[in-house]
């Protein structure tokens, strides 16, 4: 607008000058050029100053207010310090009205959160009663969808399968045991259901089968399997209950028996770990075009001997927590001390509290990093200032014989995109802005859990800004050039 105005007035003055020169003669050329040039210079200068003032006093504060209100509308608990609120000094009534709207929205969100908390508390009481039944069961329970992805399991299943790093929500059951007998049993159940001479009652039949030893164990398992169907009677998954196979010789002879149908029987009530959305929304492969909210994430953090990995500092702890469908899975964590095989400076211990005595008998990185790679397989990695943590991993990958090629998102870069009105992008600042509390700060697990909570809140904010796929998130992160340059020092 200002450029067009300046160009228009310049053209008008130039045409007027030419007309004046024709009328006044050659003697007037020099004075007219001098006066006209001076007038144009002054005009352009005034327009430039006006442009700068409008940009600084009106345009930028308006854009900042837009970002703040978008964030508050998308994430219920988003808060902004008064120091971050831009001032629309040229539009004082609008400035006051915007602050009133922001405060009213925050009050409404707070009241909504209070009502939701009351409803959640009532639901939690019923959940605790159901889970008390599950804790008393001595069988492992695993529920899978039609693609054999785990959508529910209990603690006993973890112990029976001996798979703390491979059994998880949204992860393939094939990572924990051989699926061939399971597929055979499912085919038997489906054949029984479609047999023309079979009368079907309201209950599903159950198949009994013997499973070979799971990938993490040495003894076979006895299992019972039944189909899960939706309201249209379509098979959408199955329930698998597991117990260690008896060692009695007579039973061992039946280890090669094919699965067989038995009478329907009730199964366990409600496992401790579940995500029923996986019935209809299987976890997609990690691809650029996949929707962010549907992908599995491992949010991780490290504690180290120092801040210079390229000069010999090493990890002393690494922890991760999984996020699936926008929900932090507090029960699926990786937390391991690491023997750095070198002294831990006192200044580092003062921050994270890890001493040389604590890691003296801990495994070294060659044992820990492969286990973490297994835990994070098939997931997008997320960290706060990820370049720092990834440098420690990259320097040890060859030695450990693993290569983490997972896509990586950095909450610092995402924060710089979402909250471009503020220069504060530390983990503490983000938690304060999003209404979160950090527990066990400067421990790998505590910081990973805080970062996971921040990232889960960011998913709503990113969607509101049009960032819906993994490719979108990687693209906006790549635009944060200043922060990326500062991270290159690692």
């Amino acid at each position: 607008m200002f450029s067009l105005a300046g160009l228009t007035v310049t053209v008008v003055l130039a045409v007027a000058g030419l007309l004046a020169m024709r009328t006044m003669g050659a003697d007037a050329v020099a004075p007219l050029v001098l006066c006209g040039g001076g007038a144009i210079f002054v005009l352009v200068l005034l327009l430039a100053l006006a442009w700068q003032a409008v940009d600084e006093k009106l345009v930028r504060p308006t854009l900042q207010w837009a970002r703040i209100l978008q964030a508050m509308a998308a994430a219920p608990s988003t808060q902004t310090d008064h120091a971050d609120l831009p001032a629309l000094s040229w539009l004082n009534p609008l400035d006051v009205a915007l602050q009133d709207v922001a405060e009213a929205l925050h009050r409404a969100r707070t009241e909504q959160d209070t009502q939701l908390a009351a409803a959640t508390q009532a639901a939690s009481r019923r959940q605790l009663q159901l889970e008390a039944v599950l804790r008393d069961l001595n069988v492992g329970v695993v529920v899978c969808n039609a693609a054999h992805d785990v959508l529910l399991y209990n603690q006993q299943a973890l112990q029976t399968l001996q798979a703390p790093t491979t059994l998880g929500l949204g992860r393939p059951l094939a990572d924990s045991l051989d699926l061939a007998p399971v597929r055979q049993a499912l085919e038997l159940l489906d054949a029984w259901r479609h047999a023309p001479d079979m009368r079907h009652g309201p209950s599903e039949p159950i198949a009994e089968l013997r499973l070979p030893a799971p990938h993490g164990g040495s003894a076979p398992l006895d299992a019972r399997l039944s189909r899960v169907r939706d309201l249209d009677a379509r098979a959408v998954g199955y329930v698998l209950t597991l117990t260690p196979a008896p060692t009695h010789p007579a039973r061992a002879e039946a280890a090669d028996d094919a699965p067989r149908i038995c009478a329907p029987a009730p199964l366990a009530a409600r496992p401790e770990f579940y995500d029923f959305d996986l019935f209809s929304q299987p976890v997609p492969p990690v691809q650029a075009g996949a929707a962010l909210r549907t992908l599995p994430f491992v949010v991780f953090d490290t504690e180290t001997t120092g801040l210079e990995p390229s000069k010999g500092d090493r990890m002393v702890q690494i922890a991760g927590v999984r996020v699936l469908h926008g929900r932090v899975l507090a029960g699926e964590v990786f937390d391991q001390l690491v023997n750095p095989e070198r002294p831990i400076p006192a200044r580092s211990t003062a921050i994270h509290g890890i001493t040389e005595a604590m890691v003296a008998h801990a495994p070294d990185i060659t044992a820990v990093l492969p286990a973490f790679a297994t835990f994070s397989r098939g997931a997008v990695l997320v960290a706060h200032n990820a370049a720092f943590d990834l440098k420690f991993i990259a320097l040890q990958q060859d030695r450990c014989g693993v290569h983490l090629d997972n896509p990586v998102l950095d909450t610092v870069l995402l924060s710089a995109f979402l909250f471009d009105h503020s220069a504060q992008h530390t983990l503490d600042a983000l938690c304060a802005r999003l209404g979160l509390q950090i527990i066990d700060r400067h421990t790998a697990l505590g910081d990973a859990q805080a970062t996971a909570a921040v990232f889960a809140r960011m998913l709503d904010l990113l969607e509101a800004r049009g960032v819906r796929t993994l490719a979108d998130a990687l693209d906006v992160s790549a635009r944060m050039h200043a922060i990326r340059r500062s991270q290159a020092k690692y």
Side-chain angles (χ1 to χ4, degrees):
M1 181 181 68
F2 283 99
S3 299
L4 181 60
L7 180 62
T8 301
V9 174
T10 300
V11 171
V12 170
L13 287 175
V15 172
L18 289 173
L19 293 175
M21 283 188 291
R22 288 184 179 182
T23 304
M24 299 174 65
D27 293 336
V29 172
L32 284 174
V33 170
L34 181 62
C35 292
I40 292 174
F41 174 79
V42 172
L43 177 64
V44 171
L45 178 61
L46 290 175
L47 285 173
L49 292 174
W51 187 346
Q52 181 181 8
V54 170
D55 185 67
E56 180 178 342
K57 299 294 185 181
L58 183 61
V59 177
R60 291 187 184 182
T62 301
L63 291 175
Q64 291 172 359
W65 264 113
R67 294 286 184 260
I68 292 171
L69 293 177
Q70 285 174 344
M72 295 185 69
S77 59
T78 300
Q79 302 177 31
T80 301
D81 294 334
H82 286 288
D84 286 335
L85 294 177
L88 288 168
S89 55
W90 287 7
L91 299 172
N92 187 62
L94 180 59
D95 184 46
V96 174
L98 283 173
Q99 297 199 37
D100 291 342
V101 168
E103 292 176 2
L105 181 58
H106 179 62
R107 286 195 302 270
R109 295 295 196 186
T110 302
E111 293 173 1
Q112 181 183 10
D113 289 345
T114 301
Q115 296 172 357
L116 181 60
T120 302
Q121 187 176 15
S124 296
R125 285 195 296 268
R126 292 190 293 270
Q127 177 181 333
L128 289 173
Q129 294 169 350
L130 291 173
E131 290 178 351
V133 175
L134 178 69
R135 285 193 296 269
D136 292 334
L137 295 176
N138 60 355
V139 296
V141 180
V142 180
V143 182
C144 295
N145 60 16
H148 304 285
D149 296 326
V150 176
L151 58 88
L152 178 153
Y153 64 94
N154 67 350
Q155 192 67 36
Q156 187 64 31
L158 278 176
Q159 298 175 5
T160 303
L161 291 174
Q162 302 178 42
T165 61
T166 58
L167 183 63
L169 295 181
R171 305 186 73 170
L173 183 61
D175 286 352
S176 302
L177 53 82
D178 181 7
L179 289 186
V182 172
R183 292 191 177 97
Q184 186 179 2
L186 290 172
E187 291 174 358
L188 181 63
L189 290 173
D190 292 340
W192 179 91
R193 183 176 180 84
H194 293 97
D197 58 343
M198 189 65 64
R199 298 179 62 184
H200 309 302
S203 299
E204 280 287 326
I206 290 177
E208 288 187 340
L209 63 155
R210 171 68 65 89
L211 296 174
H215 299 332
S218 57
L221 302 174
D222 279 344
R224 291 162 64 88
L225 186 148
S226 64
R227 275 290 195 186
V228 175
R229 300 185 183 276
D230 61 13
L231 295 177
D232 297 324
R234 294 177 301 179
V236 293
Y238 56 91
V239 179
L240 192 66
T241 59
L242 305 165
T243 56
T247 57
H248 191 278
R251 184 66 185 90
E253 293 175 358
D256 295 328
D257 289 349
R260 62 182 185 275
I261 297 291
C262 67
L267 295 179
R270 180 177 176 178
E272 300 163 86
F273 309 98
Y274 60 94
D275 188 339
F276 288 131
D277 288 341
L278 290 169
F279 272 134
S280 57
Q281 301 175 21
V283 177
V286 176
Q287 297 176 343
L292 270 180
R293 191 172 292 278
T294 65
L295 290 173
F297 300 91
V298 168
V299 186
F300 75 103
D301 184 68
T302 63
E303 299 298 335
T304 63
T305 61
L307 303 177
E308 297 181 312
S310 298
K311 295 184 178 180
D313 282 319
R314 290 189 178 181
M315 273 188 276
V316 295
Q317 186 182 29
I318 182 170
V321 59
R322 295 187 75 231
V323 175
L324 185 64
H325 287 162
R327 183 162 64 103
V328 180
L329 306 178
E332 296 189 13
V333 300
F334 183 96
D335 186 15
Q336 181 63 59
L337 290 173
V338 184
N339 188 335
E341 303 175 292
R342 61 195 55 204
I344 303 176
R347 63 181 180 276
S348 298
T349 298
I351 296 174
H352 50 57
I354 299 175
T355 65
E356 294 182 18
M358 294 170 61
V359 299
H361 300 290
D364 64 20
I365 194 65
T366 60
V368 175
L369 192 56
F372 178 75
T374 299
F375 178 77
S376 57
R377 186 169 56 209
V380 178
L381 292 175
V382 180
H384 192 77
N385 196 17
F388 176 78
D389 302 285
L390 289 174
K391 187 65 173 182
F392 284 92
I393 292 175
L395 291 174
Q396 298 294 332
Q397 286 190 133
D398 290 343
R399 178 187 175 196
C400 299
V402 298
H403 181 70
L404 272 70
D405 56 359
N406 311 53
V408 179
L409 293 176
D410 188 337
T411 49
V412 172
L413 299 177
L414 295 176
S415 175
F417 167 73
L418 291 170
F419 308 112
D420 52 359
H421 61 278
S422 175
Q424 299 299 318
H425 304 295
T426 64
L427 183 57
D428 296 280
L430 282 177
C431 286
R433 183 174 293 130
L434 296 172
L436 300 169
Q437 182 180 5
I438 305 181
I439 301 175
D440 294 331
R441 183 72 167 104
H442 294 304
T443 66
L445 183 57
D447 287 356
Q449 289 173 328
T451 305
V454 164
F455 180 71
R457 294 279 175 90
M458 280 183 168
L459 291 175
D460 291 328
L461 300 175
L462 289 168
E463 286 184 356
R465 293 282 299 277
V467 179
R468 295 182 173 85
T469 67
L470 177 59
D472 293 337
L474 293 172
D475 179 57
V476 298
S477 298
R479 297 183 208 163
M480 304 299 113
H481 302 296
I483 295 177
R484 290 169 64 88
R485 284 196 298 269
S486 69
Q487 291 179 335
K489 66 182 180 181
Y490 300 122

